[in-house]
Amino acid sequence: MKKLLVLLLILTLAVSIVGCAPKEEKVEEAVAPVETPEVVEEPVNLTPLVVGYAAFSEKFSPFFSSTAYDADVSSLTQESLLTTDRTGGIIYNAIDGEKGIYNGVEYFYSGMADVKVDYDEASDITTYNMKIRDDVRFSDGEYADADDIIFSYYVLSDPTYTGSSTLYSYDIIGMTNYRMNNSMAEELVISPDELAAELENPGEESISIIESFVADILISEVDWVKSLYGADTWANDYVEMHPEAKDLFAFFYNIDDDYDSYAVEDEATVIEDILAQYGSDWKTLSANYGGTESYFQPDIEAAVGESLLQAKLASSEGVEVPNIEGIKKLSQTEVEVKVRGFEAPAVYTIAGIDIAPMHYYGDESLYDYDKDMFGFQREDLSIVESKTTKPMGAGPYEFIKYQDKIVYFEANEYYYKGEPKTKYLQLKETTDGEMIAGVGIGEIDIANPSGSVAKFEELKTYNTNLEVVGDVITANSVDNLGYGYIGINATNVNVDGNPDSEESKNLRKGFATVYSVYRDVAIDSYYGDAAMVINYPISNTSWAAPQKADEDYEVAYSKDIDGNQIFTSSMVADEKYDAALEAAKGYFKAAGYTYDETSGMFTAAPEGAFLEYEIIVPGSGEGDHPAFAILADTREALTKIGITLNINDPSDTNVLWNSLDSNVHLMWTAAWGSTIDPDMYQVYHSSNGKGKGGTDSNSYNIADPELDRLIIEARQSTDQAFRKVAYKQALDIILDWAVEVPTYQRQNLVIFSTERVDMDTVTPNITTYWGWMNDIELLEMN
């Protein structure tokens, strides 16, 4: 009941304007030889560069940052092993550097490390070799070397690591043995039949594990119930009905019809009584918590399966494992990682790490590579976590402080490419609506506002030529590496608690069909030429994105319940809207809704569904969001057939994280920031659903075995043509679940103060994969 009634919040996933690629130097002519100019020391500019930014959450860690804005703070202080160019291509020989042509101009790219990838078909082993240059120094003057790389790998591999990296998900030789601390872990497995038998008739140890899991969930729900008191929430009526938290907790979770919490005086006894009611009944808890008996099944299977494996390992001849066999230090500048098989995205994860200083994030007294000591106590990352708000690394800038919503930096005098020309840098929290004016009147120097029609018109007014590039503001826009979408949580929007049933899919398709038809007018009105409507949940910048010329390309949600096309080429807009609403009625009927033919209205919802839903849009409380018009038009249309869509537009977007983290969201609007490789594992694989022990990035809670298979097969193939076919099939499954309505591919707008920023020093040819912060050490103020 909690999950179905709770007031939702919405998360806007920001798109970073910082690439992982290190910096470059421009070569003036594409074919002419380049002479190396004499290095002349120039005075450092003391005028601070002020950049407008969205709100930070102070997770400024190369290990634990969770928003793009926090990651940018970290990135300014860090340096990655991997170098990429303006097209997203990898620069394998970055120490000496490589040349590449973009738009007819030759550029020279260099970085801190060479990367070599070698797949041996006979052994089915891929070897990744990373060799760093020997003159890289952290901002405190200490030199970076292979020990810092080893330290970083072991932090990301620790069993207690909770950040967003998925390094441990790759089949690195010895990774599982190390994480389970048994040399037989990668050989011994628990078969599906063994696990099923144990869950059917659990032993004493399994019962204890399940009871502990159930108790932990219920106790956490007590804290959640208490948070409802003293706040203006959806639960006001329930709080009024149950003045004491113990009774509201019992209202939500009591499963004994004869139990009366009001007859029990103290809270502790009520909690004890409710826990006793459930015991090890995780299926009933799943139904009451997540709407389906299978909600906690992956968690239970994982916990019981691990227990069975531990028992099997305990009786085996396995010994403790002090290190990861496949991760080796070859010298003070060279590290090697060996992985079973080949997975295309792996190089971006394995070689794409930042080199964090072990002497700062760890404990030097706890590091001795030859003695299997890696800079921290195993399964205790507290020393690493303690530095989360104060990053330090080998990047171009040194973090000074975060104060009054401003992050302060100073140039890293030891930066291996030279101390940045601009000594002081500030990232200042600024709302989207204030960014253009901030640059125009001189409060900030650079900003990344949304590229709406209104924003483009606004910025033109500051230039005397009334253009986007002028004497006050210089605007630059490129296709954004990401896309906007409307999400639907399958766990909370379904019929009878079964997210994967045809009825549940039809329920979600009813909403998706109406959302979809209003995309064109909304996106054109908000963005104009700065964005386009997309029909698959993938950025159009990706090579894997379906194209209109493809034979099987379709407009999203353009078929009715019988598989017929909803629209014809001769239809005008109003006719399309009517046709979409009629098709939505068919989906709602198929989902089990009761329809009154006389009134033309739905009068009752099937079990587990409702006639009223809520969607959250982060429009700053003012409707300033590209999807807001879609939602407003959909709300008006659904009202005609008896279904209510409530639009919640919170002014404080920080609370949105809590909504997704606690899995209480129904529908929401957001935007994904994509990666160079279109790997879908992090966002759509079932293991990464909420509370499943993975990345928690699968906020749709889609769990489809065929989708999981396609994702794994695609990431393991070197054949791009095969991968594209597999990803197209995966995208079709996502749309069939109707958990996502792709809305737009926008351009990334970055604006500079022509008056204060020396535009000749800004990195040229900004692209989707090459942001303005590349070459930031060369950027100067006027």
Side-chain angles (χ1 to χ4, degrees):
M1 180 175 297
K2 163 198 166 186
K3 298 299 174 185
L4 296 173
L5 296 177
V6 71
L7 174 64
L8 303 177
L9 298 173
I10 164 71
L11 166 67
T12 300
L13 297 180
V15 179
S16 174
I17 57 179
V18 181
C20 66
K23 323 308 178 215
E24 56 77 43
E25 297 174 6
K26 179 180 178 182
V27 178
E28 292 298 331
E29 298 294 335
V31 294
V34 180
E35 295 184 2
T36 303
E38 180 182 354
V39 177
V40 178
E41 291 293 332
E42 297 180 6
V44 174
N45 195 316
L46 299 181
T47 303
L49 172 66
V50 183
V51 186
Y53 252 76
F56 301 107
S57 57
E58 279 198 274
K59 291 183 179 180
F60 305 142
S61 169
F63 300 110
F64 299 108
S65 60
S66 57
T67 73
Y69 307 121
D70 285 357
D72 283 355
V73 173
S74 172
S75 294
L76 284 164
T77 68
Q78 306 296 318
E79 201 71 12
S80 172
L81 285 174
L82 191 67
T83 304
T84 56
D85 63 18
R86 283 172 168 78
T87 66
I90 295 174
I91 303 299
Y92 289 97
N93 302 300
I95 293 179
D96 290 335
E98 297 179 7
K99 297 175 182 178
I101 295 177
Y102 183 82
N103 274 355
V105 180
E106 187 176 76
Y107 294 94
F108 179 76
Y109 300 91
S110 64
M112 71 179 303
D114 289 344
V115 175
K116 183 180 179 181
V117 181
D118 179 36
Y119 173 65
D120 181 65
E121 190 171 356
S123 63
D124 193 28
I125 298 293
T126 303
T127 301
Y128 299 85
N129 181 281
M130 281 70 63
K131 181 178 182 179
I132 65 169
R133 50 194 297 160
D134 59 8
D135 61 348
V136 176
R137 299 172 76 177
F138 297 112
S139 59
D140 63 353
E142 294 289 324
Y143 282 92
D145 60 20
D147 291 324
D148 299 297
I149 301 175
I150 292 294
F151 164 76
S152 299
Y153 276 136
Y154 272 87
V155 170
L156 298 173
S157 303
D158 194 79
T160 63
Y161 174 71
T162 58
S164 60
S165 172
T166 57
L167 176 74
Y168 57 82
S169 73
Y170 291 101
D171 197 8
I172 297 173
I173 296 174
M175 176 67 79
T176 299
N177 286 349
Y178 176 77
R179 286 169 65 85
M180 298 199 71
N181 201 21
N182 190 295
S183 61
M184 297 291 290
E186 293 176 12
E187 298 179 34
L188 300 177
V189 296
I190 301 299
S191 71
D193 290 341
E194 286 180 282
L195 182 58
E198 181 67 16
L199 291 178
E200 182 69 25
N201 186 27
E204 184 177 336
E205 179 65 21
S206 294
I207 290 175
S208 175
I209 290 172
I210 296 171
E211 287 181 343
S212 178
F213 177 88
V214 170
D216 287 344
I217 295 295
L218 287 171
I219 290 172
S220 72
E221 289 301 271
V222 174
D223 293 334
W224 169 76
V225 167
K226 290 180 178 179
S227 72
L228 300 176
Y229 289 80
D232 187 14
T233 72
W234 62 273
N236 288 347
D237 291 343
Y238 295 97
V239 169
E240 186 176 340
M241 290 168 54
H242 307 284
E244 292 189 50
K246 69 179 181 66
D247 301 312
L248 183 54
F249 170 67
F251 173 76
F252 284 132
Y253 283 103
N254 173 44
I255 55 176
D256 182 354
D257 292 338
D258 296 326
Y259 184 76
D260 181 9
S261 64
Y262 283 90
V264 181
E265 291 186 4
D266 65 292
E267 177 183 288
T269 302
V270 171
I271 296 173
E272 184 179 340
D273 292 343
I274 300 295
L275 263 61
Q277 290 178 19
Y278 283 87
S280 61
D281 188 0
W282 62 270
K283 290 185 177 181
T284 299
L285 177 63
S286 290
N288 290 340
Y289 183 97
T292 171
E293 287 191 349
S294 63
Y295 184 81
F296 285 123
Q297 184 168 339
D299 304 88
I300 297 298
E301 289 179 345
V304 172
E306 182 176 349
S307 174
L308 292 177
L309 180 58
Q310 291 287 10
K312 186 177 287 190
L313 290 172
S315 61
S316 72
E317 297 180 356
V319 296
E320 292 186 354
V321 179
N323 58 55
I324 302 170
E325 180 183 348
I327 298 179
K328 293 187 180 299
K329 170 185 169 184
L330 304 183
S331 71
Q332 281 305 111
T333 60
E334 198 168 358
V335 170
E336 176 186 87
V337 178
K338 287 184 176 292
V339 184
R340 294 185 183 89
F342 177 86
E343 297 186 64
V347 64
Y348 294 100
T349 300
I350 294 172
I353 68 166
D354 292 329
I355 302 180
M358 181 269 295
H359 69 275
Y360 177 75
Y361 284 100
D363 184 339
E364 288 185 284
S365 68
L366 297 177
Y367 187 89
D368 188 325
Y369 178 80
D370 294 329
K371 294 181 180 179
D372 297 318
M373 298 169 63
F374 303 109
F376 60 94
Q377 292 289 350
R378 188 171 178 168
E379 298 189 26
D380 181 6
L381 295 179
S382 58
I383 187 173
V384 182
E385 293 169 343
S386 68
K387 307 295 177 61
T388 294
T389 61
K390 297 179 180 180
M392 199 267 278
Y397 279 90
E398 178 184 3
F399 175 89
I400 302 302
K401 63 181 178 180
Y402 172 63
Q403 180 176 305
D404 298 328
K405 299 185 177 181
I406 300 176
V407 184
Y408 293 87
F409 299 90
E410 288 187 14
N412 175 9
E413 63 178 304
Y414 302 108
Y415 188 50
Y416 76 101
K417 287 194 171 184
E419 182 178 356
K421 300 294 186 181
T422 300
K423 185 173 182 62
Y424 300 109
L425 171 64
Q426 300 173 12
L427 304 188
K428 180 179 181 180
E429 290 188 16
T430 310
T431 66
D432 185 70
E434 297 172 336
M435 287 188 176
I436 293 175
V439 174
I441 64 177
E443 290 185 352
I444 54 180
D445 304 313
I446 301 176
N448 181 215
S450 60
S452 66
V453 172
K455 293 292 196 306
F456 275 103
E457 292 303 314
E458 179 187 355
L459 72 86
K460 290 177 183 178
T461 63
Y462 287 96
N463 292 327
T464 55
N465 63 1
L466 299 180
E467 299 292 339
V468 295
V469 176
D471 55 343
V472 177
I473 295 178
T474 295
N476 182 288
S477 58
V478 296
D479 284 339
N480 185 54
L481 186 58
Y483 66 95
Y485 70 94
I486 296 172
I488 304 178
N489 183 356
T491 294
N492 296 334
V493 182
N494 60 58
V495 175
D496 200 25
N498 296 311
D500 60 346
S501 70
E502 287 303 312
E503 291 81 5
S504 294
K505 292 178 182 178
N506 288 332
L507 163 59
R508 297 190 292 266
K509 285 177 182 176
F511 283 99
T513 299
V514 186
Y515 286 141
S516 182
V517 76
Y518 288 111
R519 295 177 301 164
D520 288 331
V521 65
I523 300 307
D524 182 65
S525 175
Y526 191 90
Y527 281 118
D529 294 334
M532 62 181 294
V533 170
I534 59 174
N535 289 301
Y536 291 89
I538 185 172
S539 172
N540 269 4
T541 62
S542 173
W543 54 261
Q547 303 299 314
K548 290 184 179 180
D550 296 344
E551 186 177 346
D552 55 352
Y553 184 93
E554 292 184 352
V555 173
Y557 307 106
S558 60
K559 290 184 177 179
D560 63 18
I561 187 66
D562 297 317
N564 301 315
Q565 290 291 334
I566 298 173
F567 314 112
T568 66
S569 58
S570 62
M571 284 183 175
V572 297
D574 286 341
E575 291 173 329
K576 287 184 177 181
Y577 303 152
D578 292 340
L581 188 60
E582 192 64 29
K585 286 164 59 176
Y587 281 117
F588 287 128
K589 290 177 182 178
Y593 278 75
T594 302
Y595 184 71
D596 179 52
E597 297 289 346
T598 302
S599 65
M601 306 282 276
F602 287 102
T603 58
E607 183 71 25
F610 301 92
L611 287 171
E612 183 173 345
Y613 282 90
E614 185 173 58
I615 186 166
I616 310 300
V617 53
S620 300
E622 301 173 350
D624 185 13
H625 191 279
F628 192 88
I630 298 175
L631 310 185
D633 289 338
T634 298
R635 174 179 59 189
E636 182 178 349
L638 292 177
T639 299
K640 299 175 183 177
I641 59 174
I643 293 179
T644 300
L645 179 69
N646 295 318
I647 301 174
N648 185 1
D649 180 9
S651 58
D652 182 4
T653 58
N654 268 324
V655 299
L656 305 180
W657 285 109
N658 296 331
S659 174
L660 269 76
D661 287 345
S662 57
N663 198 34
V664 297
H665 52 298
L666 293 180
M667 304 182 200
W668 75 103
T669 61
W672 279 119
S674 303
T675 56
I676 296 175
D677 188 273
D679 181 30
M680 296 181 174
Y681 181 82
Q682 182 177 1
V683 176
Y684 298 106
H685 196 276
S686 62
S687 65
N688 294 319
K690 294 298 182 181
K692 306 304 178 187
T695 65
D696 272 0
S697 297
N698 180 358
S699 298
Y700 314 103
N701 286 301
I702 183 172
D704 189 290
E706 178 64 9
L707 176 61
D708 287 349
R709 183 187 68 80
L710 289 167
I711 289 173
I712 297 301
E713 287 186 357
R715 77 186 327 216
Q716 292 177 340
S717 174
T718 60
D719 186 341
Q720 189 174 99
F722 169 80
R723 295 184 75 202
K724 184 167 184 176
V725 171
Y727 283 137
K728 173 58 167 61
Q729 294 172 354
L731 294 170
D732 287 339
I733 290 174
I734 295 167
L735 293 174
D736 182 58
W737 270 66
V739 292
E740 183 173 353
V741 181
T743 52
Y744 62 87
Q745 168 75 57
R746 70 172 177 86
Q747 290 188 320
N748 193 25
L749 175 63
V750 182
I751 60 174
F752 303 85
S753 169
T754 316
E755 297 174 320
R756 294 181 303 283
V757 176
D758 182 351
M759 295 306 298
D760 290 336
T761 66
V762 175
T763 187
N765 258 328
I766 293 173
T767 73
T768 299
Y769 304 99
W770 188 265
W772 73 268
M773 282 190 180
N774 290 101
D775 291 335
I776 194 171
E777 74 278 3
L778 303 178
L779 190 150
E780 296 185 66
M781 306 297 289
N782 286 326

